[in-house]
Amino acid sequence: MSRPATIIGFGALSVDDIYYVDAPLQAGKGRVVRRASAFGGNVATALVAASRLGAEASFIGWLDEDPDDPVVAALKAEGVFTDDAPRAAGCRPVRSTITVGSDGDRFIAFDDDVRLGTAPDLPDTVLTTAGALLIDGYATRSPEAVFRARSLGLPVIADMEWSEGETTDLLLEACDHLVLPFGFARLHTGQKRPRDVLHALWSDRRSAVVLTDGSNGAYLLEADRRPRHLPSHSVSVVDTTGAGDCFHGAYAVALVRGRDIGDCVKFAAAAAALSVSGRGGREALPTGWAVDDLLEAKGAPAFQLL
């Protein structure tokens, strides 16, 4: 067994082929000005973000049994533990092709016909020694692990981007911290206004519902049932790839450090804002001091009641 990890997670690991073009995506076409390959994945990038912010992080999803697997090596190089991850031959990463427009917006095409989730016999000690569990949409491959984590009292922070029907509904119901893209949450609930989406997702079992909406900022509902909006930071955008994953990981870091929910959202939003200044999902993931500096800067956004 590895040392106890503050933040654990399972979900997507990916290898990304990234194409930067000289026009916005809405233009329909553009000239490629740069190509790059990088490692990504929702939970994997969130855990790397948590590690850069000073937390102990551990990936507990399926990994290839090859000790020299480059995806595993990339996680370890970022300080993410993998000792508790189940292993099997032929566990390939998701392969993604990402097109990034001149305005930093991106489109992701992916092939996820790979083994995802985690082992059904994951030891309880892995869950009970952690401070939070991060999951993404691929938790639908191992919902029992999420339900067990909640039964053991572990906070579960969910970042879903698509629905796989009843299993997704059950996972969303079980998770106490929903950190969801506004676009997905709006489609899932059938509501349009942020305040209505927040209320539709709320239940008394929740600690927080957070909606991330890019340059429009973030929305929060917690136990006081007063929906709030946090405007975005004013930053220069190079590439938005991984910004949501960074938000997810930074939120977990603030949570396990005992910050209140509002401060968790502020910390996560500042980290995500810094992350869009570099190319790919991990290049510009910030350190804790950089996040604190941005939060303390003059004119930093503050919550407003919706």
Side-chain angles (χ1 to χ4, degrees):
M1 293 293 292
S2 69
R3 60 195 293 189
T6 302
I7 298 168
I8 60 176
F10 68 91
L13 282 168
S14 72
V15 175
D16 301 333
D17 295 316
I18 310 173
Y19 297 86
Y20 297 90
V21 298
D22 65 354
L25 299 185
Q26 294 85 346
K29 64 172 61 176
R31 180 175 288 106
V32 175
V33 295
R34 176 175 172 151
R35 294 177 174 85
S37 293
F39 296 105
N42 299 51
V43 161
T45 299
L47 290 170
V48 171
S51 179
R52 291 219 190 151
L53 291 166
E56 290 187 352
S58 176
F59 185 80
I60 59 169
W62 285 104
L63 293 175
D64 194 85
E65 62 186 10
D66 180 359
D68 298 320
D69 181 83
V71 175
V72 179
L75 285 176
K76 290 182 175 180
E78 291 284 2
V80 177
F81 299 107
T82 60
D83 301 51
D84 291 319
R87 293 176 179 264
C91 287
R92 299 180 292 107
V94 174
R95 293 301 304 245
S96 298
T97 299
I98 304 174
T99 304
V100 181
S102 58
D103 56 358
D105 199 7
R106 81 280 190 267
F107 182 85
I108 303 175
F110 57 89
D111 175 4
D112 62 354
D113 186 19
V114 297
R115 187 172 192 173
L116 295 159
T118 191
D121 58 350
L122 186 74
D124 280 355
T125 52
V126 174
L127 304 175
T128 57
T129 55
L133 171 64
L134 297 174
I135 62 168
D136 58 25
Y138 293 114
T140 54
R141 311 289 176 92
S142 299
E144 296 81 9
V146 179
F147 303 147
R148 185 149 51 95
R150 288 299 298 130
S151 71
L152 293 169
L154 183 64
V156 177
I157 305 168
D159 177 16
M160 305 287 195
E161 297 180 338
W162 66 89
S163 176
E164 293 193 6
E166 183 180 359
T167 305
T168 299
D169 294 341
L170 291 171
L171 285 171
L172 289 173
E173 183 179 351
C175 296
D176 51 337
H177 294 263
L178 296 185
V179 182
L180 307 177
F182 177 52
F184 164 75
R186 190 166 61 172
L187 288 172
H188 182 77
T189 62
Q191 301 295 325
K192 294 184 178 180
R193 298 188 304 170
R195 64 177 298 115
D196 296 331
V197 175
L198 289 168
H199 283 299
L201 290 168
W202 181 258
S203 79
D204 291 338
R205 295 180 299 276
R206 301 259 194 256
S207 295
V209 177
V210 182
L211 306 176
T212 59
D213 194 21
S215 61
N216 293 320
Y219 304 93
L220 168 64
L221 186 66
E222 47 183 325
D224 62 8
R225 304 297 295 274
R226 300 170 68 199
R228 292 185 284 165
H229 173 231
L230 182 68
S232 63
H233 291 266
S234 179
V235 294
S236 296
V237 178
V238 174
D239 186 352
T240 60
T241 303
D245 306 330
C246 179
F247 190 108
H248 194 210
Y251 182 95
V253 171
L255 183 69
V256 300
R257 289 177 176 169
R259 300 194 185 193
D260 65 37
I261 298 298
D263 284 343
C264 290
V265 174
K266 287 183 178 180
F267 186 80
L274 291 169
S275 76
V276 303
S277 65
R279 300 184 186 278
R282 299 183 185 177
E283 179 180 291
L285 292 175
T287 59
W289 64 263
V291 176
D292 291 337
D293 282 351
L294 184 58
L295 287 171
E296 293 167 6
K298 183 178 180 180
F303 274 109
Q304 306 166 357
L305 288 174
L306 280 178

